[in-house]
Amino acid sequence: NAGVTQTPKFQVLKTGQSMTLQCAQDMNHEYMSWYRQDPGMGLRLIHYSVGAGITDQGEVPNGYNVSRSTTEDFPLRLLSAAPSQTSVYFCASSYGTGDRSYGYTFGSGTRLTVV
Amino acid sequence: KQEVTQIPAALSVPEGENLVLNCSFTDSAIYNLQWFRQDPGKGLTSLLLIQSSQREQTSGRLNASLDKSSGRSTLYIAASQPGDSATYLCAVRGLYNFNKFYFGSGTKLNVKP
């Protein structure tokens, strides 16, 4: 019963480098999302997806790309890392519709530092 | 736009005390409300989920209530313990914007031995 798995747990990047944060869930959740959490700013939605092939922007999408080719995976790509993207990133998933409203399940996070 | 507020931002209590954490939201059109716990450097752990048709949910020493009409939820922690020290966040899911989850900024709880 893995739930939501995020990799890596920690990452240090140099400015301008690109990387992909991985997120996978094994609960057959339609809805997946990415948040960043910064001190004093709370959780801010970056991108979300309501199913394979469907993605949309959240509050702070600039500098990030997503795709959803399968129900299980929702990777987050940093195109050209900037120090302002230093943050803790969380992936979360849930059922999208219907009566199976089991709420939101979060991954354990990726702590990213851009130097 | 839905706004979720949690007051107080921080709370310090002696061990054994019963306490209440508050969550208020501006739009009563919600699908459900969820309480989370976050330990320092960790992810969010779901504590309780209340559907919009429910008034309360209980799990062990935790009891969450929901008053949709007044836009309020409370998380009651009975007989607090030092292990309860963490940040507690509430989140509401929109009824009409089903893909939107709105988070409060959290209450940081410290239970002193």
Side-chain angles (χ1 to χ4, degrees):
Chain A
N1 218 12
V4 178
T5 303
Q6 287 186 240
T7 55
K9 294 194 183 304
F10 301 94
Q11 183 71 48
V12 179
L13 284 180
K14 294 182 179 178
T15 297
Q17 285 185 316
S18 62
M19 79 159 294
T20 300
L21 280 62
Q22 302 291 344
C23 175
Q25 52 89 12
D26 61 357
M27 298 170 284
N28 205 30
H29 283 170
E30 299 98 335
Y31 182 90
M32 296 184 74
S33 56
W34 278 100
Y35 288 87
R36 59 179 291 174
Q37 187 177 40
D38 303 289
M41 303 289 288
L43 284 158
R44 291 184 291 171
L45 181 65
I46 304 172
H47 285 286
Y48 66 94
S49 169
V50 299
I54 307 170
T55 64
D56 205 348
Q57 296 181 348
E59 298 174 71
V60 288
N62 292 341
Y64 307 95
N65 268 2
V66 292
S67 60
R68 183 101 177 264
S69 56
T70 67
T71 300
E72 295 77 21
D73 300 298
F74 190 44
L76 178 72
R77 296 182 189 84
L78 279 70
L79 308 172
S80 177
S84 61
Q85 294 179 304
T86 293
S87 187
V88 181
Y89 291 84
F90 289 104
C91 179
S93 71
S94 80
Y95 287 114
T97 57
D99 295 331
R100 297 174 299 171
S101 300
Y102 295 131
Y104 232 172
T105 301
F106 275 78
S108 57
T110 295
R111 188 172 295 270
L112 176 68
T113 302
V114 182
V115 298
Chain B
K1 181 192 168 191
Q2 176 78 272
E3 290 188 6
V4 181
T5 305
Q6 290 187 249
I7 294 173
L11 183 63
S12 185
V13 300
E15 181 177 4
E17 208 167 275
N18 302 325
L19 58 100
V20 173
L21 306 181
N22 296 296
C23 172
S24 61
F25 46 95
T26 55
D27 186 350
S28 61
I30 66 169
Y31 191 81
N32 58 37
L33 183 145
Q34 197 166 358
W35 283 94
F36 294 90
R37 169 188 173 133
Q38 186 175 29
D39 294 287
K42 304 291 185 183
L44 279 70
T45 300
S46 180
L47 297 174
L48 289 165
L49 172 69
I50 310 177
Q51 302 300 334
S52 62
S53 58
Q54 296 175 324
R55 297 284 294 184
E56 65 178 338
Q57 283 284 339
T58 298
S59 176
R61 294 182 293 108
L62 305 180
N63 175 277
S65 68
L66 175 64
D67 184 343
K68 220 173 42 163
S69 60
S70 67
R72 279 191 265 185
S73 176
T74 61
L75 179 66
Y76 175 82
I77 303 177
S80 58
Q81 303 170 358
D84 294 330
S85 298
T87 296
Y88 292 81
L89 296 100
C90 67
V92 298
R93 189 167 194 175
L95 179 61
Y96 301 114
N97 293 316
F98 197 72
N99 298 319
K100 301 291 188 184
F101 290 81
Y102 300 91
F103 283 86
S105 52
T107 293
K108 188 173 183 179
L109 174 65
N110 178 36
V111 181
K112 298 172 288 186

